[in-house]
Amino acid sequence: MARYTPISSETHQTAGWNLISDYSFAKGDALAPVSLAEISQLLPRYTLAFYRASEQDPLQLVAVQGLYPGQNLFITNQGKWLGGYVPAVYRGFPFRMIPLQESDKLVLCIDEESDNYKSALEENSQPLFDAEGKLSELAGKVKDFLMSQYQQRTKTEALASLLDEYGVIQPWHLKVDGLPETIEPHSGLYHVNEKKLKELSAEQVQVLNLRGALGLAYAQMLSEHRMQELVSLFNLHAHSAKNKAEVSDLDLEKVFGDDEDSLLRF
């Protein structure tokens, strides 16, 4: 269980962290929050969807990483990431920007339960603070990166809300052929209704275009064909488990290969 704690020179002067070499911490993440800024990197590999945890929560743009909750097909048994691009939400681990209660101010926190966190510096650890009690150069860069990502996801949530306001977002009840009946698929996912999008007035389309929401809508729709590749990746994991092989040793081009036919398939 993650335990994010605000970092301070008083508490963490001699603490540090190890850079990511193992993504096992995300093995249970079937959905990853992403932003519009990542779209060009996400589209070649991921199915995109909108997700709402509860009726009170805003719609989030997410990358679908598994066919059911608790499954991340992009991570091997050795903790390696498959498929190239790693969503930005994981690249700042074990840090996170968290709003203070009853405040809009964000604070840099670290997961003290993570294996990457070190309460005392080790040989390969990166320091959190310098000798003067200021954030180290690398920790400062991580903070800037996480702040940028937080802002990008907030902007993306606003665009998703605009699409929802215009009535083009609908529940997405995924039905995956070949998935055992005993496995419950995702719930709480949404996607763009292309028919509703085409029925919008010219003025509404112009607003969506100027705000950047139209590009988000089409990116989500164009990503949906990647779901079949996620099924292929599911089968690849099953095959590797049966043959006691490591997924990364198998031919991933059979899953992610972009031949001419697949590029023309929308």
Side-chain angles (χ1 to χ4, degrees):
M1 178 68 71
R3 187 182 73 185
Y4 283 96
T5 303
I7 66 171
S8 68
S9 57
E10 291 81 8
T11 306
H12 300 99
Q13 180 64 48
T14 60
W17 84 101
N18 289 351
L19 300 179
I20 302 172
S21 60
D22 186 323
Y23 288 94
S24 295
F25 65 87
K27 206 163 187 176
D29 294 352
L31 306 174
V34 294
S35 71
L36 187 60
E38 300 176 78
I39 288 291
S40 63
Q41 298 288 341
L42 293 165
L43 279 178
R45 294 290 179 264
Y46 298 90
T47 298
L48 302 177
F50 298 104
Y51 174 72
R52 196 196 306 272
S54 70
E55 292 184 1
Q56 292 73 37
D57 292 318
L59 282 171
Q60 284 185 306
L61 180 67
V62 296
V64 182
Q65 300 174 156
L67 299 182
Y68 55 86
Q71 177 197 58
N72 188 340
L73 293 169
F74 286 88
I75 297 178
T76 72
N77 291 332
Q78 303 301 319
K80 304 303 179 185
W81 198 279
L82 299 171
Y85 181 75
V86 179
V89 67
Y90 298 123
R91 287 184 275 125
F93 186 83
F95 298 92
R96 181 177 293 182
M97 298 300 298
I98 297 179
L100 288 174
Q101 288 187 348
E102 301 179 0
S103 171
D104 293 332
K105 184 178 179 181
L106 298 173
V107 293
L108 180 64
C109 300
I110 192 165
D111 178 9
E112 293 187 341
E113 295 297 319
S114 165
D115 290 339
N116 291 68
Y117 171 72
K118 304 299 175 183
S119 58
L121 289 174
E122 298 178 356
E123 183 179 355
N124 297 320
S125 300
Q126 304 295 323
L128 287 171
F129 293 93
D130 61 21
E132 297 178 354
K134 297 179 181 179
L135 274 182
S136 67
E137 181 179 0
L138 185 56
K141 289 181 179 179
V142 171
K143 181 180 180 180
D144 292 342
F145 171 77
L146 291 176
M147 180 68 76
S148 174
Q149 291 304 315
Y150 186 94
Q151 293 169 346
Q152 289 294 337
R153 286 197 295 273
T154 299
K155 290 178 182 178
T156 304
E157 287 178 5
L159 297 181
S161 295
L162 181 60
L163 290 171
D164 193 27
E165 179 185 332
Y166 278 24
V168 302
I169 300 292
Q170 69 176 23
W172 192 10
H173 303 294
L174 287 177
K175 182 178 180 181
V176 181
D177 294 333
L179 193 64
E181 294 182 1
T182 55
I183 295 178
E184 291 290 333
H186 290 294
S187 61
L189 293 185
Y190 297 78
H191 66 159
V192 174
N193 184 320
E194 186 175 6
K195 182 176 181 292
K196 293 287 187 182
L197 186 63
K198 290 180 177 179
E199 290 174 351
L200 294 179
S201 68
E203 291 78 12
Q204 288 175 313
V205 171
Q206 184 178 26
V207 171
L208 292 180
N209 187 38
L210 290 174
R211 293 278 298 276
L214 189 61
L216 176 61
Y218 277 105
Q220 190 283 312
M221 288 190 293
L222 290 173
S223 77
E224 289 189 15
H225 78 281
R226 294 289 178 195
M227 184 57 69
Q228 187 55 49
E229 293 168 359
L230 202 60
V231 174
S232 297
L233 193 53
F234 175 85
N235 293 331
L236 191 61
H237 275 271
H239 177 81
S240 69
K242 181 179 179 180
N243 294 278
K244 298 182 179 179
E246 174 61 23
V247 176
S248 57
D249 293 335
L250 301 178
D251 187 5
L252 292 179
E253 285 305 310
K254 292 181 179 179
V255 178
F256 296 117
D258 289 322
D259 57 27
E260 182 176 344
D261 290 337
S262 66
L263 286 173
L264 296 177
R265 185 176 68 248
F266 297 100

